[in-house]
């Protein structure tokens, strides 16, 4: 189905499922497609608690980790579309992974009903203190003067892939990409000076920056962020196209009955207003999305999907 059709329809047409008139009349499961203790898990548990408070009925978090989040997401895509199995979806496994991983057996614009964002995750460019650059333009000039000398962490299948693709396309910077399978090792290597640049969420880098072990250059957001209001944006430094609005949002399998979808949207709106949810998300370094709806989120997902397919390719493709 073309993306615009998915946006207008909300999901691919499948045989109608009768709505539960008392929804939710039993336990709702919110799948977190990462391991316990991960950021995804923490956000899922925060959202589950807010939904549970609104409904007055239990919402449990089930961790289904593996393959960068695609295993859990795929299981939700194949679940019954009755509203009792939901997904805490992140930008990496809903947008980036399907564009670069042949084994991601779902299409977010076909297999899911998007209900709305709960948080936006700020991503930043950080360098080792030995790098003689305090701004992105200075970093770009340095890379052009000595092509390939600077090493940058590359995390395939994650938000980092999208950020670096946009950065290289906009700046023409010439760097050597060092591939990693997770975010912990490259942070260690950045602090040690074995690599010189990393694009990662601010929560994973801010403590090291405050300790002087690395330097933050810019946040890839349209506006400055609450977690670091002193940090200029990429747009302020002359690169308005280098913006990555990574998000967490709630999804259900495509085909959820309209009555159930309406109740879920109402519950999502109530959850966003929860002071505890807002406090918990801000403590993780995230920007809270206080207003969103299914239609707006569907448009965002469709736009992000198109952009990822244009910028990113599976390994081995030119």
């Amino acid at each position: 189905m073309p993306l615009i059709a998915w946006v207008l329809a909300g999901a691919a047409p499948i045989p109608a499922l009768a709505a539960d008139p008392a929804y939710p009349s039993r336990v709702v499961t919110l799948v977190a497609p990462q391991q316990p203790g991960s950021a995804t898990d923490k956000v899922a548990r925060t959202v589950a608690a807010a939904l549970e408070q609104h409904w007055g009925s239990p919402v449990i978090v089930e961790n289904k980790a593996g393959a960068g989040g695609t295993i859990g997401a795929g299981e939700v895509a194949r679940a019954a579309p009755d509203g009792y199995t939901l997904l805490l979806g992140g930008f990496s496994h809903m947008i980036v992974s399907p564009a670069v991983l042949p084994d991601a057996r779902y299409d977010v614009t076909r297999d899911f009903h998007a209900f709305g964002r709960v948080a936006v995750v700020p991503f930043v460019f950080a360098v080792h203190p030995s790098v003689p650059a305090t701004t992105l333009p200075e970093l770009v000039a340095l890379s052009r003067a000595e092509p390939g000398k600077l090493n940058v962490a590359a995390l395939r299948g994650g938000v980092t892939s999208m950020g670096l693709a946009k950065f290289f396309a906009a700046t023409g910077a010439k760097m050597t990409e060092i591939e990693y399978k997770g975010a912990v090792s490259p942070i260690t290597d950045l602090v040690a000076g074995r690599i010189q640049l990393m694009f990662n969420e601010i929560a994973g880098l801010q403590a090291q920056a405050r300790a002087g072990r690395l330097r933050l250059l810019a946040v890839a957001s349209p506006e400055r962020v609450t977690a670091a209001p002193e940090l200029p944006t990429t747009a302020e430094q002359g690169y308005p196209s280098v913006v990555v609005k990574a998000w967490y949002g709630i999804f259900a399998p495509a085909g959820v009955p309209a009555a159930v979808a309406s109740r879920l949207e109402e519950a999502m709106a109530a959850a966003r207003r929860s002071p505890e949810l807002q406090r918990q998300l801000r403590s993780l370094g995230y920007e809270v999305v206080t207003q969103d709806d299914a239609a707006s989120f569907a448009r965002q997902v469709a736009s992000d999907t198109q952009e990822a397919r244009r910028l990113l390719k599976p390994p081995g493709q030119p």
Side-chain angles (χ1 to χ4, degrees), residues 88-264:
L88 191 281
F91 189 95
S92 62
H93 53 266
M94 301 304 284
I95 301 299
V96 179
S97 291
V100 300
L101 300 178
D103 292 337
R105 298 176 182 176
Y106 55 86
D107 182 331
V108 67
T109 64
R110 179 194 65 210
D111 299 328
F112 293 94
H113 186 126
F115 280 96
R117 289 157 289 194
V118 294
V120 172
V121 184
F123 271 69
V124 298
F125 290 92
V127 296
H128 186 265
S130 65
V131 176
T134 59
T135 67
L136 277 186
E138 290 176 358
L139 180 68
V140 171
L142 187 64
S143 78
R144 289 174 175 171
E146 301 180 272
K149 182 177 180 179
L150 298 177
N151 295 327
V152 57
L155 282 70
R156 301 302 177 192
V159 180
T160 295
S161 298
M162 182 77 91
L164 290 182
K166 288 189 171 189
F167 176 66
F168 291 140
T171 66
K174 305 296 183 183
M175 302 180 183
T176 299
E177 296 186 49
I178 308 298
E179 293 206 22
Y180 293 88
K181 292 185 177 180
V184 176
S185 294
I187 293 174
T188 301
D189 284 355
L190 180 62
V191 169
R194 288 186 284 271
I195 60 174
Q196 288 71 51
L197 173 66
M198 186 176 185
F199 181 72
N200 195 48
E201 61 178 88
I202 192 170
L205 299 173
Q206 200 166 31
Q208 299 284 7
R210 287 171 175 164
R213 299 187 185 97
L214 52 82
R215 182 187 307 126
L216 305 184
L217 299 186
V219 59
S221 300
E223 303 89 20
R224 295 196 182 198
V225 298
T226 305
E230 76 287 352
L231 189 62
T233 68
T234 46
E236 288 178 74
Q237 297 192 44
Y239 305 111
S241 64
V242 186
V243 169
V244 179
K245 296 181 69 175
W247 39 254
Y248 281 110
I250 297 298
F251 295 82
V256 172
V260 171
S262 177
R263 290 174 191 148
L264 271 168

Side-chain angles (χ1 to χ4, degrees), residues 29-40:
T29 297
L30 178 59
V31 172
Q34 299 286 357
Q35 66 272 21
S38 65
T40 298

